[in-house]
Amino acid sequence: MSIPELIETATGWLAWSGLALSLMTLIAFLVRWGQRFRLVGVTSFNLLLLASCWAFGVSYTPPLKVEGALVVPVVFDNSTDLVVAQAPDDFPDEAVEATLEQLAGNIHRGGYNGSEVHVRLRRLESVGEGVSQPVILGEVIRDLRQNITLPLAEKSDAG
């Protein structure tokens, strides 16, 4: 079962149990049952779980997966306009474009101050003993206002 399906199912169960607990609490107050205040706590907690589960279900967006992309770790993110990912030494050239698109597609507006984020993929190459130099394999720009990914050449021609 996927996460969106699980959240949807849990929200339904919590809604029905919240309704049942609310009715039980109301009946407990009408008949002055000794457990009525405990039912208030259980009902409140159940409704809090329902609200949280519903809010998570509304806001959840699964990560973008692009065919041919490889998973690479993000090694730098300044939360403004630059994200850098580290490719391993044996990273294939044909996976660069798909990997950049996947990295850029998983950047969402909420965490960034600017409207454009540069996404770079780099590899470290040894230039001497204990010394390495970063080599940029590719770069794209994620426009968070329009929710699109632009190749770097296209952006520099347009601007």
Side-chain angles (χ1 to χ4, degrees):
M1 182 180 282
S2 69
I3 290 178
E5 291 171 342
L6 180 66
I7 295 298
E8 186 177 334
T9 302
T11 303
W13 279 101
L14 287 168
W16 283 111
S17 63
L19 180 64
L21 283 168
S22 296
L23 289 174
M24 272 181 38
T25 303
L26 182 63
I27 291 170
F29 269 95
L30 291 176
V31 298
R32 298 207 169 276
W33 190 27
Q35 304 296 320
R36 63 186 180 260
F37 295 109
R38 289 183 185 163
L39 277 172
V40 168
V42 171
T43 304
S44 300
F45 184 68
N46 185 82
L47 294 175
L48 177 68
L49 286 176
L50 169 63
S52 300
C53 198
W54 173 81
F56 183 74
V58 168
S59 67
Y60 178 73
T61 54
L64 175 69
K65 295 188 181 189
V66 177
E67 187 176 329
L70 300 176
V71 177
V72 292
V74 172
V75 294
F76 180 77
D77 183 351
N78 68 359
S79 296
T80 305
D81 64 350
L82 180 62
V83 173
V84 180
Q86 178 73 36
D89 292 336
D90 58 346
F91 195 81
D93 290 337
E94 54 273 0
V96 169
E97 194 173 312
T99 302
L100 280 168
E101 188 172 331
Q102 180 171 296
L103 282 166
N106 286 321
I107 294 176
H108 301 290
R109 185 177 192 134
Y112 292 89
N113 295 333
S115 65
E116 292 181 349
V117 178
H118 289 254
V119 180
R120 292 183 184 147
L121 182 63
R122 75 170 188 196
R123 174 177 45 224
L124 293 178
E125 289 185 358
S126 179
V127 293
E129 190 170 327
V131 179
S132 59
Q133 175 180 357
V135 176
I136 304 295
L137 301 177
E139 182 174 357
V140 294
I141 297 175
R142 180 69 176 177
D143 189 336
L144 298 174
R145 284 192 190 134
Q146 297 178 15
N147 204 24
I148 57 171
T149 302
L150 304 168
L152 189 60
E154 228 180 80
K155 182 61 182 174
S156 62
D157 291 342

